[in-house]
Amino acid sequence: MDREEPRDMELGQFDYCPVCGGELLKRQVEKIVRGGDDTATLNVEARVCQWCGERLYSADTVKSFERIRAGLYQSGR
Protein backbone atom coordinates (compact mmCIF):
# COMPACT_ATOMS: atom_id res chain seq x y z
CA MET A 1 0.00 0.00 0.00
CA ASP A 2 1.42 3.39 -1.02
CA ARG A 3 1.55 6.10 1.64
CA GLU A 4 2.07 9.78 1.05
CA GLU A 5 4.95 11.33 2.93
CA PRO A 6 3.85 13.01 6.19
CA ARG A 7 5.46 16.34 5.27
CA ASP A 8 3.15 16.55 2.22
CA MET A 9 -0.03 16.11 4.21
CA GLU A 10 -1.80 18.37 6.66
CA LEU A 11 -1.44 17.35 10.30
CA GLY A 12 -5.16 16.69 10.78
CA GLN A 13 -5.22 14.00 8.08
CA PHE A 14 -3.44 11.48 10.29
CA ASP A 15 -5.46 9.38 12.71
CA TYR A 16 -2.53 7.09 13.44
CA CYS A 17 1.25 7.37 13.34
CA PRO A 18 2.59 7.03 9.77
CA VAL A 19 5.72 5.32 11.16
CA CYS A 20 4.31 2.60 13.43
CA GLY A 21 0.52 2.92 13.40
CA GLY A 22 0.34 4.01 17.06
CA GLU A 23 -2.18 6.42 18.54
CA LEU A 24 -1.48 10.15 18.07
CA LEU A 25 -2.31 12.59 20.86
CA LYS A 26 -2.15 16.38 20.76
CA ARG A 27 0.60 17.65 23.09
CA GLN A 28 2.65 20.73 23.86
CA VAL A 29 6.28 19.82 23.15
CA GLU A 30 9.66 21.50 23.30
CA LYS A 31 11.40 21.86 19.94
CA ILE A 32 15.01 22.96 19.54
CA VAL A 33 15.75 24.80 16.30
CA ARG A 34 19.38 25.25 15.32
CA GLY A 35 20.80 27.78 12.88
CA GLY A 36 24.55 28.12 12.58
CA ASP A 37 26.03 28.36 16.07
CA ASP A 38 22.75 29.55 17.62
CA THR A 39 19.70 27.71 18.94
CA ALA A 40 16.14 28.58 19.86
CA THR A 41 13.92 26.54 22.17
CA LEU A 42 10.23 26.66 21.29
CA ASN A 43 7.10 25.32 22.93
CA VAL A 44 4.74 24.19 20.15
CA GLU A 45 1.77 21.94 19.58
CA ALA A 46 2.36 18.59 17.92
CA ARG A 47 0.60 15.28 17.54
CA VAL A 48 2.82 12.74 19.29
CA CYS A 49 2.71 8.96 18.81
CA GLN A 50 2.16 7.20 22.10
CA TRP A 51 4.06 4.14 20.86
CA CYS A 52 7.21 5.35 19.10
CA GLY A 53 7.33 9.07 20.00
CA GLU A 54 7.16 10.35 16.40
CA ARG A 55 6.07 14.00 16.29
CA LEU A 56 3.87 15.49 13.60
CA TYR A 57 3.74 19.27 13.22
CA SER A 58 1.30 21.40 11.24
CA ALA A 59 2.51 23.01 8.01
CA ASP A 60 2.33 26.46 9.67
CA THR A 61 4.49 25.27 12.56
CA VAL A 62 7.11 23.84 10.19
CA LYS A 63 7.16 27.15 8.28
CA SER A 64 7.80 28.98 11.54
CA PHE A 65 10.72 26.60 12.25
CA GLU A 66 12.17 27.50 8.85
CA ARG A 67 11.79 31.26 9.43
CA ILE A 68 13.40 31.02 12.87
CA ARG A 69 16.25 28.87 11.53
CA ALA A 70 16.92 31.40 8.74
CA GLY A 71 16.94 34.23 11.29
CA LEU A 72 19.40 32.36 13.48
CA TYR A 73 21.77 31.87 10.54
CA GLN A 74 21.58 35.57 9.68
CA SER A 75 22.18 36.70 13.27
CA GLY A 76 25.36 34.61 13.39
CA ARG A 77 26.99 36.41 10.47
Side-chain angles (χ1 to χ4, degrees):
M1 173 157 99
D2 290 335
R3 267 194 215 180
E4 291 185 46
E5 290 294 318
R7 64 184 172 274
D8 295 336
M9 299 182 74
E10 186 57 38
L11 182 63
Q13 291 182 333
F14 285 100
D15 292 325
Y16 298 97
C17 178
V19 174
C20 74
E23 180 183 8
L24 295 172
L25 295 178
K26 195 181 294 185
R27 299 276 189 234
Q28 283 295 120
V29 298
E30 188 175 89
K31 172 72 175 171
I32 297 174
V33 178
R34 292 179 176 87
D37 293 331
D38 297 318
T39 61
T41 303
L42 311 171
N43 289 308
V44 297
E45 186 175 279
R47 297 209 34 217
V48 180
C49 177
Q50 297 306 291
W51 183 257
C52 73
E54 181 73 11
R55 294 179 178 184
L56 302 179
Y57 302 100
S58 71
D60 288 340
T61 300
V62 172
K63 287 177 187 176
S64 71
F65 295 161
E66 293 168 356
R67 283 191 302 272
I68 292 166
R69 184 174 290 116
L72 290 171
Y73 274 116
Q74 287 184 355
S75 71
R77 289 183 180 184

